[in-house]
Amino acid sequence: MIFRIVFTSLIIIGLAAEVWSHVEIEAEDYFFPLEPVINFCKMSEQCQHDFVPVCGQDSLGITRMFNDNCDLYEYNCDEKKQYRHVKTVVCQYEAAAAPLVED
């Protein structure tokens, strides 16, 4: 009787492990975007300007300063861009690294 219980338990554990490994493999086969699509136009409509400057960076690593988060949302909506709020230090570093152009 004990042998039957142990044998059944091992079969159930083996099947559960097989199903679990199959689920992990399936999840890797599907494409999951790194970030969900954000409706920046809707966000800009609902946003209240606070005029706290923020640094934005797009997927190519291009950075720029915005007046506030609402300005970032409006820019993304109008220009069909995907700038994300990043630490202000990123924009300060970019500004310091840019060469000065003399006339």
Side-chain angles (χ1 to χ4, degrees):
M1 183 70 178
I2 293 176
F3 176 75
R4 188 177 200 187
I5 293 172
V6 171
F7 183 73
T8 306
S9 299
L10 288 174
I11 289 177
I12 291 173
I13 291 171
L15 289 173
E18 187 70 44
V19 169
W20 182 253
S21 65
H22 181 70
V23 169
E24 288 180 334
I25 291 170
E26 277 188 348
E28 291 172 0
D29 290 340
Y30 292 105
F31 172 73
F32 292 107
L34 296 177
E35 297 178 1
V37 175
I38 298 173
N39 187 343
F40 288 108
C41 296
K42 188 172 186 175
M43 291 177 69
S44 68
E45 291 173 3
Q46 299 172 352
C47 191
Q48 297 291 323
H49 289 275
D50 59 5
F51 300 101
V52 176
V54 297
C55 177
Q57 186 175 40
D58 69 358
S59 61
L60 300 175
I62 299 170
T63 59
R64 62 172 289 175
M65 289 297 294
F66 295 93
N67 292 332
D68 55 19
N69 275 325
C70 297
D71 189 37
L72 182 141
Y73 301 151
E74 290 168 359
Y75 182 82
N76 284 339
C77 175
D78 295 341
E79 301 296 324
K80 307 293 187 255
K81 300 288 185 178
Q82 294 287 320
Y83 278 88
R84 307 287 185 193
H85 182 188
V86 294
K87 294 181 180 181
T88 307
V89 176
V90 176
C91 286
Q92 290 172 349
Y93 173 75
E94 293 290 329
L100 294 175
V101 178
E102 295 182 22
D103 292 327

